[in-house]
Amino acid sequence: MKSVIHKAGLLLSTATLVLALPLGSAQAQERNVTVAVSIPAATHGWTGGVVYHAEQAEKEVEAAFANVDVVLSTASSATAQVSALEDLSATRKLDALVILPFTSEELTGPVEQIKEKGTFISVVDRGLADPTIQDLYVAGDNIAVGANTARWLSDKLGGEGEIVVLRGIPTVIDDERIKGFSDVINKTNIKILDIQYANWNQDEAFKLMQDYLAKYPKIDAVWANDDDMLLGVVEAVDRAGRKDIKYALGGNGMKQVIEMVKEGNERTPVSTPYPPSMIKSAIYMTAAQFAGQAPMRGSFLLGAPLITPENADQFYFPDSPF
């Protein structure tokens, strides 16, 4: 089948999980299992990667298990995602829901209502406001994304300077990244001049960075929190011809940014990984819950080591959409 696209809007390796899944095919054929996957639409590069990997997982899981139906739904806003979940829940019996929430607060109530029907809940990346709702949580280590970047930046600036920060959208993962970054910076003499939301969007980041440049005559570094936003920041800085900004850093490991790291770019010499393929891992793990006799409970965090010119090849995937 089997995608229903709503246009309204790890510790375990992928390879290991793929190999494990076929072992449980006999168990899966004893019943029909519906796994709904609800994710944001490809509104920027990272979520484009999420959609790509979710589509791949849908094909692979359904090929492995004849009676497992993966129903994929995308939404371009939190409101659209809530509406899509209501439609899915009303028209199908959902054995499991794998969800990457558009925003944490708005999706918590709707997911809780589905949970109350006995559905297994797997949350990916952007946590819910109430973590007790989830059975499984798969994400990158957002605290480490922020903290590792801040430690590197503090070391390069000698613990002194003035910086600006761009936030993503109001979610648990954005809060965690900012906390990891701020906790390190607050122990130095580095001053955060400004910190505002740019919604993980390149165009919005470009406009916000223009505002920062107009407001602050001297900025030593920028942390954009995300590589899509970083591209907007770099464009704004280049257009303004500002030479005072020593470093412009992002995160997530976009291949375009990894190329900058590989080339030894002086302004963007490091990044941190946050692979969109984590949605695929979550779908595999959820299927294993029903078909592989492999109970899945708990939280699985992917590491966030610094990506440098020395190790960048390990994180560079030129055929990936992100």
Side-chain angles (χ1 to χ4, degrees):
M1 181 179 137
K2 290 180 181 137
S3 293
V4 177
I5 303 295
H6 294 266
K7 295 183 179 179
L10 264 184
L11 299 182
L12 297 177
S13 71
T14 295
T16 300
L17 288 166
V18 173
L19 291 171
L21 286 176
L23 298 177
S25 58
Q27 286 80 9
Q29 290 169 1
E30 294 175 2
R31 59 175 295 193
N32 290 322
V33 175
T34 299
V35 177
V37 179
S38 175
I39 56 179
T43 54
H44 65 289
W46 193 83
T47 52
V50 169
V51 172
Y52 171 82
H53 289 292
E55 290 174 343
Q56 296 302 306
E58 175 190 16
K59 296 173 185 176
E60 292 164 10
V61 168
E62 290 185 344
F65 302 108
N67 284 357
V68 175
D69 184 13
V70 178
V71 182
L72 177 59
S73 169
T74 67
S76 61
S77 68
T79 301
Q81 191 173 28
V82 170
S83 177
L85 286 178
E86 290 173 347
D87 289 345
L88 285 170
S89 182
T91 58
R92 291 173 170 81
K93 179 186 181 301
L94 303 182
D95 295 281
L97 169 66
V98 180
I99 181 167
L100 198 163
F102 209 99
T103 58
S104 300
E105 291 290 343
E106 291 176 90
L107 272 299
T108 296
V111 174
E112 184 174 23
Q113 292 176 13
I114 293 174
K115 169 75 170 181
E116 290 171 352
K117 296 181 178 181
T119 302
F120 183 90
I121 304 296
S122 297
V123 177
V124 184
D125 181 43
R126 306 170 191 175
L128 298 173
D130 180 2
T132 65
I133 297 170
Q134 68 202 22
D135 296 291
L136 175 67
Y137 180 60
V138 179
D141 189 342
N142 286 288
I143 294 287
V145 167
N148 290 343
T149 303
R151 290 189 190 100
W152 184 93
L153 187 59
S154 175
D155 179 66
K156 293 300 180 181
L157 294 178
E160 306 278 348
E162 297 177 325
I163 66 175
V164 293
V165 175
L166 288 78
R167 299 198 65 162
I169 62 177
T171 57
V172 171
I173 67 168
D174 183 74
D175 292 341
E176 290 176 344
R177 288 189 184 188
I178 296 301
K179 174 176 171 50
F181 186 84
S182 300
D183 284 351
V184 172
I185 294 298
N186 289 342
K187 296 176 182 177
T188 71
N189 291 323
I190 296 173
K191 180 180 179 181
I192 298 178
L193 297 171
D194 217 327
I195 178 169
Q196 296 183 39
Y197 289 97
N199 299 308
W200 289 323
N201 180 278
Q202 183 175 340
D203 292 336
E204 291 188 43
F206 173 76
K207 294 175 184 177
L208 177 56
M209 193 63 208
Q210 284 187 316
D211 292 342
Y212 284 167
L213 293 171
K215 189 175 180 180
Y216 303 106
K218 181 179 181 296
I219 300 172
D220 291 298
V222 185
W223 183 46
N225 187 331
D226 164 88
D227 286 338
D228 280 290
M229 293 195 296
L230 175 62
L231 297 183
V233 165
V234 169
E235 182 182 0
V237 172
D238 286 345
R239 284 198 189 184
R242 288 282 289 265
K243 304 300 183 184
D244 52 311
I245 297 172
K246 302 179 184 71
Y247 302 107
L249 307 177
N252 287 357
M254 176 189 285
K255 65 181 179 182
Q256 186 173 345
V257 175
I258 299 300
E259 288 169 358
M260 296 165 66
V261 173
K262 283 166 61 70
E263 294 165 0
N265 186 289
E266 292 185 1
R267 191 170 53 192
T268 307
V270 297
S271 186
T272 49
Y274 200 82
S277 58
M278 65 178 69
I279 188 69
K280 197 173 193 179
S281 298
I283 296 170
Y284 290 151
M285 296 167 77
T286 302
Q289 166 70 28
F290 295 93
Q293 294 184 321
M296 294 290 174
R297 297 290 193 282
S299 297
F300 298 83
L301 295 183
L302 306 172
L306 279 179
I307 302 173
T308 67
E310 291 72 29
N311 67 4
D313 283 337
Q314 301 174 29
F315 302 93
Y316 183 58
F317 305 101
D319 295 331
S320 169
F322 180 78

